[in-house]
Amino acid sequence: MAAAAYYLGFDFSTQQLKVLAVNEHHQVVYEDNVHFDNDLPEFGTQGGVHVHSDKLTVTSPALMWIKALDIILDRMKSYGFNFFNVKALSGTGQQHGSVYWKKGSQGLLNNLASNLPLHELLKSCFSLTDSPIWMDSSTTAECRYLEEAVGGAQELANITGSRAYERFTGNQIAKIYKARPEVYHDTERISLVSSFAASLFLGDYAPIDYSDGSGMNLLNINGKTWSEKCLDSCAPDLKGKLGSVVPSSSVLGSISAYYVQRFGFSDNCKVVAFTGDNPASLAGMRLEEGDIAVSLGTSDTLFLWIKEPTPALEGHIFCNPVKTNDFMALLCFKNGSLMREKIRDSCSLGSWEEFSKTLRSTSPGNNGRIGFYFQVMEITPHAVGIHRFNADHQKVSEFSNDTEIRAVIEGQFLAKRIYAERLGYKIMPQTRILATGGASCNKDILQVLSDVFNAPVYTIPTANSACLGCAYRAAHGIAAQISPTTFAEVTKLAETHKLVVTPTPEAHKIYQPLLKSYAELESLVIEESKSNTKC
């Protein structure tokens, strides 16, 4: 650890707290994590959460997150990590979680006694000890009310970037105000998990950043201000409890004296605004304007860099975490790797090698045959079941094994491109696809991805993208404070992406009409799914 300066990134995720340090050359020099279930069994979580008896309400103890921070910093100190060389830190929290600070807590934060661990100092600071998190789905009534109050689901999406979702913070606040008014009235500040974590380091209430704030159904994503209409629909006097919103690259101030005295941080160490885990991943993947990041895991996720968004009823538009006036879009597809594995098992004897061989031997476009593969109810689109169509758009009961293999891969990627374009994404000459997740190691799957999007595919060397992104963001926040500089300029020394495949010549001529066919057939699949689920 000979470098002159370090940048720290913290990730307060669902199941663990992670920390990562990079040096001036953006090389990772330290990593650690605290696993909530294993390292903090006294909180009784499973998977880092408490699932309540109604199976809809899901929470996590705020004090558990604080105690995890105590543990991870103590470990770093024991290891001999040189905190004094940390120039700046930033972090991320699981999106949509919210923390409720009791009246009088700001004074405690401002005057932390360095001889005691944080969890002892702050144990009485919360009006709600268990924080609602992203897995909570108990606010359906509040979602419908909010949509109606602002003029419908699409109008809410136009304002806030998303229609009403049960996990989004505005709806969670509305539920608490309605069900537990005494808790709401005893609350001095409502933080997101990200701004809560930043507050711990700042020794004061940290503002919510634009990017994580745009996942609340409360922020006007174009004006970058709280929407009065949305606030008034959720709870009274809410603006004062939320505080201000700031650009995601903002330097919030110097680290609290508590950390200087207890761990040896420099009093010049700066705290850069914390953000949500999805925006932090965009930073960790080092997306640039026009890029797409595709995570091919149990669920498939798309991150898109967008300049002119068109909010829709599917997907989400967030403020961009590394360029204030731009946006990022997020799409999640539940039927990802599990569906690919199911077809692998049934059509290629459980062998990825055979699966890939078949993909290589079949033609782009599958001779016009299209398949929809939803083992469980999909998010985008809201459909379920397996639906196969021949080149004449007639439904058929089965495909040959080779047709089935190409159909599942092409169908998944056609859907991703269609939904990306509905949110305002435009493929440009400089577009890159950055692939991560389990299936990103399969070159033949990535070739189909490249052909459908007509863009080269790169893989990214980031196993821990959200945490790494926050270390990068810390460095960017400091650099941008000194002189105008882009995130890409600051991170140019980081490990480069690896080019894996380029589009097959002329493939775009095959997929352009196929995209239109897929969209038309998808409408039929959605209607059929609606009919089947009503029966």
Side-chain angles (χ1 to χ4, degrees):
M1 294 190 188
Y6 302 136
Y7 300 95
L8 289 182
F10 291 87
D11 181 5
F12 289 74
S13 66
T14 309
Q15 299 190 51
Q16 55 190 319
L17 168 63
K18 304 171 212 169
V19 65
L20 181 150
V22 300
N23 62 20
E24 292 171 312
H25 306 292
H26 299 306
Q27 298 164 326
V28 176
V29 295
Y30 184 90
E31 283 186 90
D32 195 12
N33 69 83
V34 172
H35 192 275
F36 300 140
D37 293 0
N38 297 339
D39 296 326
L40 294 161
E42 64 268 31
F43 290 97
T45 57
Q46 290 186 309
V49 307
H50 293 147
V51 179
H52 294 234
S53 57
D54 64 358
K55 307 297 184 189
L56 299 174
T57 305
V58 185
T59 60
S60 292
L63 197 61
M64 178 180 73
W65 297 327
I66 297 175
K67 196 166 184 180
L69 181 58
D70 284 329
I71 291 171
I72 213 161
L73 290 173
D74 283 338
R75 282 184 189 168
M76 294 176 79
K77 188 175 181 178
S78 298
Y79 173 77
F81 185 85
N82 189 343
F83 289 106
F84 189 79
N85 281 3
V86 177
K87 198 169 182 180
L89 62 86
S90 188
T92 178
Q94 51 178 295
Q95 280 200 269
H96 317 303
S98 47
V99 178
Y100 297 75
W101 297 91
K102 189 187 294 184
K103 287 178 179 176
S105 297
Q106 187 173 25
L108 288 171
L109 269 175
N110 292 165
N111 298 283
L112 297 169
S114 62
N115 61 316
L116 291 173
L118 274 178
H119 73 275
E120 289 189 24
L121 295 167
L122 300 177
K123 60 186 176 184
S124 62
C125 279
F126 305 104
S127 52
L128 193 68
T129 55
D130 259 22
S131 294
I133 64 159
W134 65 273
M135 295 168 69
D136 188 284
S137 57
S138 65
T139 63
T140 302
E142 288 76 14
C143 288
R144 299 294 79 79
Y145 180 84
L146 177 60
E147 288 179 346
E148 289 171 15
V150 302
Q154 183 60 57
E155 181 58 23
L156 183 63
N158 293 341
I159 298 168
T160 72
S162 304
R163 66 172 175 81
Y165 284 89
E166 281 81 358
R167 63 190 181 276
F168 276 36
T169 320
N171 307 302
Q172 294 290 336
I173 293 169
K175 175 192 168 186
I176 289 165
Y177 169 67
K178 186 169 67 176
R180 302 183 65 183
E182 74 287 353
V183 167
Y184 183 79
H185 290 300
D186 194 32
T187 297
E188 180 172 85
R189 176 61 66 97
I190 300 173
S191 296
L192 298 181
V193 177
S194 58
S195 60
F196 153 79
S199 301
L200 300 178
F201 287 101
L202 200 60
D204 202 355
Y205 292 143
I208 291 170
D209 81 293
Y210 291 163
S211 198
D212 206 9
S214 50
M216 299 172 70
N217 280 145
L218 293 176
L219 186 76
N220 183 316
I221 61 169
N222 291 302
K224 309 291 194 297
T225 57
W226 299 121
S227 163
E228 298 288 349
K229 192 184 292 187
C230 295
L231 294 177
D232 292 344
S233 300
C234 291
D237 308 315
L238 182 51
K239 191 173 186 178
K241 293 183 190 291
L242 292 174
S244 60
V245 281
V246 297
S248 303
S249 59
S250 300
V251 176
L252 304 181
S254 297
I255 197 167
S256 164
Y258 174 87
Y259 299 89
V260 176
Q261 296 160 12
R262 188 172 177 87
F263 297 102
F265 279 87
S266 164
D267 56 11
N268 288 320
C269 175
K270 301 302 182 186
V271 178
V272 175
F274 284 35
T275 193
D277 52 1
N278 288 306
S281 289
L282 180 145
M285 293 174 182
R286 287 176 288 127
L287 259 70
E288 297 179 17
E289 185 180 332
D291 285 348
I292 310 168
V294 182
S295 178
L296 300 171
T298 303
S299 295
D300 288 349
T301 307
L302 256 68
F303 300 103
L304 311 164
W305 185 304
I306 292 180
K307 289 190 77 70
E308 297 177 1
T310 53
L313 297 182
E314 299 89 5
H316 312 288
I317 303 291
F318 300 136
C319 298
N320 191 298
V322 298
K323 191 173 181 183
T324 298
N325 293 325
D326 287 1
F327 298 87
M328 68 171 281
L330 184 147
L331 288 159
C332 186
F333 301 85
K334 198 182 292 184
N335 292 270
S337 284
L338 294 181
M339 196 68 247
R340 290 188 288 269
E341 289 165 8
K342 184 178 175 67
I343 300 301
R344 174 204 64 188
D345 292 344
S346 62
C347 296
S348 58
L349 302 174
S351 166
W352 280 121
E353 188 177 341
E354 288 300 314
F355 186 97
S356 297
K357 185 178 176 182
T358 301
L359 261 186
R360 288 194 300 273
S361 69
T362 51
S363 303
N366 221 4
N367 295 313
R369 291 167 290 207
I370 292 174
F372 298 79
Y373 297 84
F374 309 128
Q375 186 173 358
V376 296
M377 181 62 77
E378 186 51 84
I379 300 169
T380 42
H382 194 65
V384 69
I386 294 177
H387 310 263
R388 304 175 182 89
F389 297 88
N390 63 21
D392 296 320
H393 293 190
Q394 297 169 326
K395 197 159 190 185
V396 295
S397 59
E398 61 181 28
F399 284 153
S400 64
N401 285 350
D402 57 345
T403 299
E404 189 95 298
I405 286 170
R406 178 162 281 275
V408 68
I409 301 300
E410 283 190 343
Q412 289 183 336
F413 293 149
L414 286 166
K416 289 171 177 55
R417 177 165 174 179
I418 286 167
Y419 279 95
E421 291 179 341
R422 285 178 187 171
L423 287 174
Y425 183 79
K426 297 178 179 66
I427 292 175
M428 298 183 283
Q430 73 270 29
T431 291
R432 302 176 304 169
I433 301 173
L434 310 181
T436 186
S440 66
C441 63
N442 188 311
K443 186 175 178 180
D444 299 292
I445 289 176
L446 296 186
Q447 184 64 62
V448 180
L449 173 62
S450 178
D451 291 346
V452 169
F453 278 83
N454 194 33
V457 176
Y458 296 73
T459 53
I460 54 179
T462 50
N464 195 356
S465 60
C467 206
L468 184 60
C470 289
Y472 293 159
R473 290 179 53 254
H476 178 232
I478 292 297
Q481 192 180 42
I482 297 167
S483 63
T485 183
T486 67
F487 183 80
E489 288 168 343
V490 170
T491 58
K492 63 186 177 185
L493 294 177
E495 192 173 350
T496 56
H497 303 115
K498 179 185 176 185
L499 177 63
V500 181
V501 292
T502 55
T504 303
E506 306 299 307
H508 66 282
K509 294 181 180 177
I510 297 169
Y511 285 112
Q512 207 58 49
L514 212 58
L515 286 161
K516 186 170 183 263
S517 296
Y518 187 97
E520 291 170 357
L521 293 171
E522 184 190 73
S523 300
L524 300 177
V525 168
I526 292 169
E527 287 305 313
E528 185 176 327
S529 294
K530 279 182 187 174
S531 301
N532 291 342
T533 52
K534 284 177 185 174
C535 296

